[in-house]
Amino acid sequence: MTYNPNPLYAAPDDWRAYSGVLSRRVFAFIIDYLIIALLWIPAAVLVFFVGILTLGLGFMLYPILFFIVAGLYFGISLAGPFQATPGMRAMGVAMVRVDGRKIDFVTAIAHLALFWILNSVLTPLILLAGLFTERSRLVHDFLVGTATIRTA
């Protein structure tokens, strides 16, 4: 089964497209956040120089720098042609919208923000929803209208 990047592509009804997606999402999460940690280092150096050029004002970006880097990483990669982050591509999954439209930058950011909010409230329990829902969708997937499918 392969992923079709056609913007009119909707989440498939075949159960095989969702088999093993939950565990793949966990490993994709780990890979993605390792990449974000590596991207945070040059961003921190850049903010340092911006802070010097702005006479200290740029240093106020440090508390939110991780969120900026992660937001850009997820927003750009999920809204891209593969509809998946590099970690998701490595694990053979992609994200699709259930209405069949392409994921845009705002939807990707909303998905990420809801994930962070729900994860801070329901920490390990957030994954339990995927065990009992159709298509192994998590709560933030339902709220944004997305599903994660296998590509390999």
Side-chain angles (χ1 to χ4, degrees):
M1 176 178 306
T2 60
Y3 171 67
N4 181 2
N6 184 355
L8 299 176
Y9 182 73
D13 292 328
D14 190 3
W15 65 271
R16 291 175 292 188
Y18 308 101
S19 175
V21 165
L22 208 52
S23 60
R24 289 172 181 240
R25 283 181 86 166
V26 170
F27 289 114
F29 169 84
I30 294 168
I31 293 169
D32 284 330
Y33 277 88
L34 287 174
I35 293 171
I36 290 170
L38 291 175
L39 290 173
W40 185 85
I41 295 168
V45 171
L46 180 68
V47 167
F48 175 76
F49 289 114
V50 168
I52 290 174
L53 289 174
T54 60
L55 302 174
L57 288 176
F59 294 132
M60 290 191 281
L61 288 174
Y62 276 123
I64 60 169
L65 186 60
F66 179 80
F67 300 109
I68 293 171
V69 171
L72 289 173
Y73 175 83
F74 280 101
I76 291 170
S77 57
L78 284 177
F82 295 107
Q83 301 281 267
T85 62
M88 292 170 74
R89 289 179 62 194
M91 294 309 300
V93 294
M95 190 171 292
V96 294
R97 288 177 57 155
V98 270
D99 62 4
R101 293 185 294 163
K102 188 176 187 284
I103 294 177
D104 58 346
F105 186 82
V106 175
T107 305
I109 294 297
H111 189 272
L112 178 65
L114 284 170
F115 169 73
W116 282 340
I117 292 166
L118 292 172
N119 197 28
S120 66
V121 175
L122 306 170
T123 301
L125 302 176
I126 194 168
L127 293 174
L128 291 178
L131 297 174
F132 302 106
T133 59
E134 68 169 330
R135 300 179 180 172
S136 297
R137 292 172 69 193
L138 302 178
V139 176
H140 54 286
D141 293 329
F142 281 108
L143 294 174
V144 180
T146 60
T148 304
I149 62 168
R150 289 180 65 157
T151 58

